[in-house]
Amino acid sequence: MLNFSGRVLPSHQRRSMADLTDQLYLMRGDTTAKVSAFWTMLVLSGLIATAGILGDSTATVIGAMIIAPLSTPIMGMAIAVVEGNRRRLGSSAAFVGGGALLVVLLGVLASLAVPQSTDLLANSQISGRTSPRVTDLVAAIATGFAGAVGLARRDVSDVLPGVAIAISLVPPLAVVGVTLGEGQVGLAVGALLLFTSNVVALVLAGTLTFTAAGYATDAYEARGIPPRRAYLAIGVLLTVILVPLAANTAGNILVTVWTAQVRSAAEDWIAGSGGSSVAAVQVGHDRTVVTVRTDEEPPPVEDLKARLTGVLPGTMDLTIVLERGRSIDGGRVSD
């Protein structure tokens, strides 16, 4: 811990426990101003994120990331774990849960108000946030460390931690709302898992950082809370986040294998049709879509289904999309 404090968090730049809790607990100090600012900025952030999701605009989504205030109660949960303060942990968790519900609701309402007729997975802002992986966990933990160190140091701008952490929070919630509004429950569950795992990762990173910075010792000296409780919480959080993400990563690998197998079977199926080719294969939660580029009628679909027997789950639906068209030979341009 001495090495950590000396290099990453010098003692002369370390905030006191009182300063840190004043900053992170919304129900401490000027609660009216803190709570008002939290909900105001969260509504605006949710609206901006939803607009960016529906418009597939990366720049707009980044704007939502910058002003999102969810990082404050999330880091409040981390310091509450270190303190061993259940009341403050519950209060911070309530703000996180209530804020998440609000952003999801905004996404649902916006999706219903602006009907979308396109494939949701064709929207890069949605497709990138509906299937969390271990790499997402690494990114969330890294931003959590950056935010926690920034909060604990006096010489780091207060804006930096919020910007670093908010990148993983409000956009996935907006995706949950938009996909629910479109009736895509499977996609919504994936985005919610991404948000939840990111929250747990941020709390884990914050708890690790604050414990290593000596705040667990401060809590022990002030309230007699043994530091081992913080270590136990760290172990529990790590287990909670690794299990679902590892399972989801295994699922992604399986989908990749299925996609290759379906493409191979579809290419064999369409091989007898001259000029036909498989343009794309998309394996989803409950449906596989094979896009075929052809100028003529494809072979019977039953033939492809027979080839896929034993490859895909029997409960998965199969859809064939035909892209029709023909080329015209116009000869040389100079003729």
Side-chain angles (χ1 to χ4, degrees):
M1 187 176 71
L2 291 176
N3 184 58
F4 176 89
S5 299
R7 296 180 180 275
V8 180
L9 189 59
S11 58
H12 65 283
Q13 295 293 350
R14 177 178 178 272
R15 295 180 188 272
S16 67
M17 174 68 87
D19 288 342
L20 192 59
T21 53
D22 283 342
Q23 185 175 4
L24 295 179
Y25 292 140
L26 297 179
M27 298 305 294
R28 175 167 172 159
D30 189 353
T31 58
T32 301
K34 286 183 177 181
V35 172
S36 173
F38 173 81
W39 291 114
T40 299
M41 298 306 293
L42 185 62
V43 169
L44 294 174
S45 175
L47 290 173
I48 295 171
T50 302
I53 295 298
L54 290 173
D56 198 3
S57 171
T58 300
T60 304
V61 172
I62 291 175
M65 295 173 182
I66 294 175
I67 68 171
L70 278 175
S71 59
T72 298
I74 289 175
M75 287 293 106
M77 292 172 64
I79 194 63
V81 170
V82 174
E83 277 194 295
N85 193 318
R86 295 181 181 178
R87 181 178 61 83
R88 289 177 173 175
L89 175 61
S91 175
S92 297
F95 275 104
V96 174
L101 185 61
L102 174 61
V103 176
V104 170
L105 180 60
L106 290 174
V108 171
L109 294 177
S111 178
L112 295 176
V114 185
Q116 299 292 299
S117 58
T118 58
D119 182 5
L120 291 179
L121 287 178
N123 184 321
S124 63
Q125 301 301 323
I126 293 178
S127 61
R129 295 185 172 94
T130 56
S131 184
R133 299 156 294 179
V134 172
T135 52
D136 297 310
L137 169 64
V138 173
I141 290 179
T143 55
F145 280 130
V149 170
L151 287 164
R153 290 184 61 136
R154 298 180 186 275
D155 59 338
V156 178
S157 171
D158 290 339
V159 176
L160 175 61
V163 173
I165 297 174
I167 195 170
S168 304
L169 301 173
V170 170
L173 288 173
V175 171
V176 173
V178 169
T179 51
L180 281 179
E182 295 294 321
Q184 298 293 329
V185 178
L187 297 180
V189 171
L192 183 60
L193 177 59
L194 174 61
F195 168 77
T196 304
S197 61
N198 283 344
V199 170
V200 176
L202 295 173
V203 174
L204 171 63
T207 303
L208 281 168
T209 303
F210 295 145
T211 299
Y215 291 110
T217 302
D218 292 349
Y220 176 70
E221 294 174 350
R223 303 178 59 233
I225 303 297
R228 64 174 179 271
R229 290 192 178 184
Y231 301 139
L232 177 61
I234 289 170
V236 172
L237 289 171
L238 190 59
T239 302
V240 166
I241 194 171
L242 282 179
V243 171
L245 277 180
N248 193 71
T249 299
N252 288 335
I253 294 174
L254 182 59
V255 168
T256 301
V257 172
W258 281 344
T259 300
Q261 292 176 332
V262 171
R263 176 176 287 275
S264 177
E267 288 174 347
D268 292 341
W269 168 68
I270 203 70
S273 301
S276 300
S277 62
V278 177
V281 174
Q282 186 179 79
V283 178
H285 296 279
D286 56 2
R287 179 179 298 276
T288 293
V289 179
V290 178
T291 302
V292 176
R293 188 175 291 112
T294 182
D295 297 333
E296 56 189 55
E297 286 298 319
V301 176
E302 295 300 325
D303 292 349
L304 177 57
K305 291 174 66 176
R307 294 173 183 271
L308 294 177
T309 300
V311 174
L312 296 175
T315 56
M316 184 172 290
D317 293 328
L318 174 65
T319 299
I320 308 298
V321 177
L322 300 181
E323 290 185 352
R324 296 188 179 277
R326 62 190 182 89
S327 62
I328 300 176
D329 186 3
R332 294 183 181 275
V333 176
S334 58
D335 290 348

